[in-house]
Amino acid sequence: MSIAITPEIHLSAITMADAEDINAHLRDYEVSRYTLLIPHPYTLAMAHEWIAIIADDVQRNGRETIWAIRESSGRMIGAVELHVGSAGKQHVSEIGYWLAKSHWGRGIMTAVVKAVAERGFRELGVRRITAPIFAPNVGSARVLEKSGFVVEAPLLRLAYHRDGQFYDGRLYALVREE
């Protein structure tokens, strides 16, 4: 299944054929530096392992929650995830994403975040979507603000630890009220 975002960008399932693109993009430290779950350095074996985990999740849950962001050529340039909460929090999701550095500053991620949030509200019955970020990640902050997210916690002191360094965080949220 393909989800159109713009005439040039769409979302679809991540497959083993994407491993080389994933590895190429995530080897760039600038892409992963403000993430908690993407190690650096990144290897092709890690890409294969991640794709296998995604496939298991789809099999177990019966639906995609992580999508490849693709150019019209089909080449993978990023990923976006909408993780639905557990018991008692099924109305809450958390969004996370990354995009190849060569595609930064083009409005792609803002369009993707808006579309995925709308899909979460419409198809998953989500009422609240959160997006925790590293405070220095100004690019991600801009994406979220342009997508309608509001800063709920402007300073989460020492919220993250990566590469031997502590970072403050921010919590953004988008709420769909009835």
Side-chain angles (χ1 to χ4, degrees):
M1 173 202 277
S2 182
I3 303 165
I5 304 297
T6 70
E8 299 85 27
I9 301 294
H10 67 278
L11 306 181
S12 66
I14 297 173
T15 70
M16 281 298 174
D18 296 316
E20 296 275 346
D21 286 338
I22 293 167
N23 185 47
H25 300 315
L26 294 182
R27 281 193 319 236
D28 184 342
Y29 182 65
E30 291 298 308
V31 174
S32 65
R33 75 184 284 198
Y34 294 130
T35 68
L36 284 177
L37 300 178
I38 301 172
H40 188 81
Y42 199 84
T43 66
L44 186 57
M46 290 172 179
H48 285 120
E49 183 179 330
W50 184 54
I51 295 166
I53 290 168
I54 293 168
D56 288 346
D57 286 347
V58 170
Q59 184 73 17
R60 187 174 48 256
N61 298 319
R63 69 173 183 250
E64 305 279 343
T65 58
I66 302 175
W67 298 273
I69 302 168
R70 299 187 187 282
E71 297 176 307
S72 57
S73 68
R75 183 164 183 235
M76 184 175 175
I77 58 169
V80 61
E81 175 177 13
L82 190 62
H83 177 74
V84 179
S86 57
K89 288 192 170 186
Q90 292 94 342
H91 67 290
V92 179
S93 285
E94 182 175 301
I95 194 166
Y97 45 83
W98 61 265
L99 186 66
K101 188 174 180 181
S102 58
H103 289 74
W104 291 3
R106 298 184 190 178
I108 293 169
M109 194 51 73
T110 299
V112 167
V113 168
K114 285 179 180 180
V116 170
E118 182 55 39
R119 185 177 180 86
F121 290 137
R122 188 181 63 249
E123 295 179 19
L124 301 177
V126 170
R127 301 282 303 277
R128 173 182 170 80
I129 301 173
T130 61
I133 67 167
F134 285 55
N137 191 346
V138 295
S140 199
R142 275 195 310 270
V143 163
L144 294 167
E145 290 164 8
K146 288 179 181 179
S147 300
F149 283 70
V150 174
V151 178
E152 290 190 340
L155 180 62
L156 301 169
R157 294 174 51 206
L158 303 176
Y160 305 112
H161 185 259
R162 175 157 179 130
D163 301 330
Q165 197 171 16
F166 289 96
Y167 293 90
D168 292 340
R170 287 192 187 123
L171 179 65
Y172 284 82
L174 184 63
V175 176
R176 171 68 53 94
E177 302 194 34
E178 290 185 294

